[in-house]
Amino acid sequence: MSTRAISVDGVSKKFRLERNRPSSIKEAILRIGKTNDADDFWVLRDIQLQIERGSFFGLIGHNGSGKSTLLRLMAGIHRPTTGTIESDGRLSALLELGSGFHPDLTGRENVFLNGAMLGLSRKQMAESMDTIIEFSGIGDFIDEPVKIYSSGMYVRLGFAVAVNVDPEILLVDEVIAVGDEAFQRRCMAHMNLLREKGTTIVLVSHNTRLMTELCDTIGWLDHGRLMEVGPSEGVIASYLAAVDADGDNKLTTRD
Amino acid sequence: MRKSASLIYHFAERESKARYKRSLLGWFWSFMNPLTTVLVYNFVFGVVYGAKAPLTDNGKAESFGLYLFTGLVVWSVFTGVVNGSMGWLAGVSELRKKIYFPTETALLGGAAANAVQTSLEAVVLITIMIAFANISWTVIFLFVALTLVMLFALGIGFIVSVFNARYRDMQYLMGILLGVAFFAVPIVYTEELLNRQEVPDLVRVFVTWNPPALFVEIARDAMYFLEVPQWNRLLAATVWAVVTFTVGWVFFRSKSMEISEEP
């Protein structure tokens, strides 16, 4: 095993803008073979990043800076337009509300489905089932379809699964904030526990105080470009300074 | 590999369970559907139009209903998998935006559920044929036909489901195409009818040699006439099935990462 958990090498990501999609078959046929740069939006540009094994890495940046897209690329959900992205180890991701849950299935069925997606056998999942139910505090709702869950229940079950499948790399987008105070504390405690076990964690958040507390390294994204990577305090200071300089205090008060 | 296998199993289980969820009679419906189809077609074509099926091998039965049923078992795999594939992919597309998994497992799982359903229909068909004492070792070619039609349908399913992920026009188009294709296969009429002079050669060749027709004819040779299917039909059917499946698979794999970017 290398010392790198995730290697991002020259990664750019382009999305197609919806408003420019052909709206009829005729238009679609007329457009065959024609590409127009105006149709594209570059979410990430030329990202170069190494995340060391066992580190607690944070990603900060303004809304739309590309943090979540970078996380999705790491999770293998999207393929980079250019460059390569490699992860080494079993990867578990909690990317958004109800991440990876099928609304019609019960909580229990979803836990098995998630386990299968992470490469865990039914038996392994059955063994962790009690821990997951206990950790999530879902109780009897585990046998109800997840579509009737509250948003807090969604996140709690999602987090319980993500951290109890013994991940080597854990990706967490800003979702924990949805849970109540007690659950948030439990999440923090558990993430620290995972870190002690050597799990590599990548966290996206706007909560700079929390990031300073948890992360040892932080990357700052601005309009799809990686501005700075380094020890938490330094990068957050640069980020906040940039926000201040922008005369835009909206983000700093979110804390 | 093991990961894919467990996902395929999961999707197959879900498809089977979801199909008759909230129904009292459950799997009973999976027999009712082909049964009513056979009864209705038998009435319309066999009784009203007086269509005659060729004699079975033992010469005892001349049953248009059985002639139909044999063809329909094969045809329902084709339509079930082609139509199903679009739904199976659409059903996991939201999930795929949030977590990575190989998308083809959803289609393979759906196809596996279809295979279970088809096996039940095959058991019913074989049981009826035994009751009519019209059975022989050629029954193994029924399973050859079903395997080939499954591969062929999956190949097409891989392609149409990707298009359907972007433009839902695909499912409506397929609904029409499959409706037309049903009559391009000798299921409700016999191959003998094609040998009349009024039928243009081109139509005769097309209806005899199009892939779904080949699969149906092989199954009927095996179950109805109790003959070993002609080798050139077997060969053509195998080539169609393997080539279509391969092309579909390669196409699907090259496009499957884009599914998470569809709106």
Side-chain angles (χ1 to χ4, degrees):
Chain A
M1 277 220 216
S2 75
T3 60
R4 303 245 156 83
I6 301 175
S7 297
V8 182
D9 189 17
V11 164
S12 298
K13 181 65 187 171
K14 174 178 83 174
F15 279 119
R16 230 201 194 155
L17 289 183
E18 272 319 291
R19 61 184 160 91
N20 290 316
R21 259 168 76 120
S23 56
S24 68
I25 294 256
K26 185 181 146 203
E27 205 185 323
I29 290 168
L30 287 174
R31 282 227 220 150
I32 288 174
K34 289 182 198 167
T35 49
N36 184 353
D37 284 346
D39 290 348
D40 302 329
F41 177 70
W42 290 86
V43 188
L44 291 171
R45 283 199 193 259
D46 205 26
I47 305 291
Q48 201 72 34
L49 180 66
Q50 313 289 340
I51 297 177
E52 300 297 320
R53 190 167 297 285
S55 72
F56 200 130
F57 190 92
L59 274 172
I60 51 169
H62 60 88
N63 287 329
S65 58
K67 305 181 296 291
S68 296
T69 302
L70 185 54
L71 216 58
R72 280 156 178 269
L73 287 168
M74 288 174 180
I77 292 173
H78 300 315
R79 186 161 46 191
T81 311
T82 63
T84 57
I85 198 155
E86 274 164 30
S87 58
D88 186 8
R90 190 195 351 256
L91 191 147
S92 168
L94 187 63
L95 295 184
E96 56 186 279
L97 211 55
S99 141
F101 285 160
H102 193 282
D104 291 331
L105 298 179
T106 67
R108 192 184 297 274
E109 286 167 333
N110 267 304
V111 172
F112 280 121
L113 174 62
N114 269 234
M117 285 171 179
L118 293 165
L120 290 158
S121 72
R122 241 188 138 71
K123 198 167 152 253
Q124 283 170 299
M125 282 320 278
E127 280 162 10
S128 0
M129 188 61 83
D130 288 341
T131 324
I132 290 172
I133 297 172
E134 204 267 299
F135 189 93
S136 63
I138 294 284
D140 291 341
F141 279 94
I142 194 74
D143 290 312
E144 297 292 331
V146 299
K147 62 184 169 196
I148 70 160
Y149 283 19
S150 72
S151 50
M153 289 162 82
Y154 246 109
V155 170
R156 270 150 42 205
L157 188 60
F159 189 81
V161 174
V163 297
N164 283 300
V165 291
D166 198 18
E168 286 160 313
I169 303 172
L170 176 67
L171 310 177
V172 185
D173 204 342
E174 180 137 73
V175 284
I176 302 162
V178 181
D180 58 25
E181 186 61 32
F183 185 74
Q184 285 191 30
R185 284 185 200 167
R186 221 149 24 123
C187 290
M188 300 309 153
H190 203 87
M191 283 201 283
N192 276 322
L193 204 73
L194 283 176
R195 198 231 301 251
E196 280 162 28
K197 284 203 308 196
T199 307
T200 312
I201 304 178
V202 183
L203 176 73
V204 164
S205 177
H206 286 295
N207 187 334
T208 47
R209 196 185 55 204
L210 176 79
M211 300 282 271
T212 322
E213 240 171 70
L214 289 172
C215 303
D216 43 57
T217 317
I218 283 187
W220 164 30
L221 279 169
D222 191 314
H223 293 98
R225 290 180 197 275
L226 192 60
M227 308 300 282
E228 201 176 323
V229 184
S232 307
E233 280 88 359
V235 179
I236 286 178
S238 316
Y239 167 62
L240 293 178
V243 174
D244 287 341
D246 230 14
D248 178 2
N249 292 313
K250 273 180 254 159
L251 290 169
T252 50
T253 52
R254 271 189 69 135
D255 190 314
Chain B
M1 197 54 225
R2 209 200 62 185
K3 177 177 162 181
S4 290
S6 83
L7 273 175
I8 291 170
Y9 178 83
H10 187 97
F11 286 127
E13 190 187 25
R14 185 164 110 197
E15 171 72 12
S16 302
K17 270 190 193 164
R19 184 174 291 171
Y20 300 110
K21 216 175 183 178
R22 290 169 182 248
S23 81
L24 288 173
L25 299 174
W27 282 92
F28 170 76
W29 293 113
S30 60
F31 293 106
M32 283 311 288
N33 206 4
L35 186 66
T36 44
T37 313
V38 168
L39 289 177
V40 169
Y41 283 180
N42 189 44
F43 177 75
V44 174
F45 295 100
V47 179
V48 177
Y49 282 98
K52 290 276 176 270
L55 283 177
T56 54
D57 174 70
N58 64 9
K60 275 189 205 157
E62 184 259 294
S63 162
F64 192 70
L66 286 179
Y67 184 85
L68 263 172
F69 188 35
T70 312
L72 279 175
V73 169
V74 176
W75 178 257
S76 71
V77 175
F78 182 59
T79 52
V81 173
V82 170
N83 275 327
S85 63
M86 293 182 278
W88 299 326
L89 187 61
V92 298
S93 63
E94 278 308 309
L95 202 56
R96 180 59 183 72
K97 287 172 191 169
K98 294 169 186 165
I99 188 166
Y100 171 78
F101 61 94
T103 335
E104 60 271 20
T105 54
L107 271 71
L108 295 173
N114 183 289
V116 172
Q117 158 97 22
T118 304
S119 307
L120 292 173
E121 286 173 25
V123 167
V124 172
L125 176 65
I126 292 169
T127 311
I128 295 173
M129 288 302 189
I130 290 173
F132 277 87
N134 186 55
I135 193 88
S136 143
W137 69 272
T138 52
V139 66
I140 58 166
F141 286 102
L142 172 69
F143 294 97
V144 172
L146 290 174
T147 309
L148 293 178
V149 72
M150 178 62 87
L151 285 175
F152 181 76
L154 260 173
I156 294 190
F158 279 132
I159 296 169
V160 296
S161 62
V162 167
F163 282 110
N164 190 60
R166 176 155 293 193
Y167 298 110
R168 299 285 176 209
D169 307 52
M170 200 51 165
Q171 69 194 55
Y172 306 114
L173 178 67
M174 286 318 286
I176 292 171
L177 287 182
L178 288 172
V180 173
F182 179 73
F183 291 97
V185 178
I187 294 172
V188 290
Y189 55 89
T190 62
E191 285 161 74
E192 279 72 38
L193 276 178
L194 293 170
N195 292 329
R196 290 172 306 142
Q197 283 209 320
E198 306 91 287
V199 182
D201 281 346
L202 201 66
V203 172
R204 181 170 25 247
V205 170
F206 179 72
V207 171
T208 315
W209 289 94
N210 72 69
L214 289 169
F215 306 130
V216 166
E217 286 155 5
I218 290 171
R220 213 152 39 203
D221 283 345
M223 291 306 294
Y224 195 83
F225 299 113
L226 310 188
E227 286 166 3
V228 176
Q230 294 165 27
W231 70 269
N232 52 352
R233 277 185 178 175
L234 275 174
L235 182 69
T238 309
V239 170
W240 270 113
V242 172
V243 170
T244 308
F245 180 82
T246 311
V247 169
W249 174 264
V250 170
F251 176 77
F252 189 87
R253 290 294 304 241
S254 75
K255 295 285 179 196
S256 62
M257 283 302 286
E258 289 171 24
I259 287 158
S260 65
E261 289 170 29
E262 294 298 341

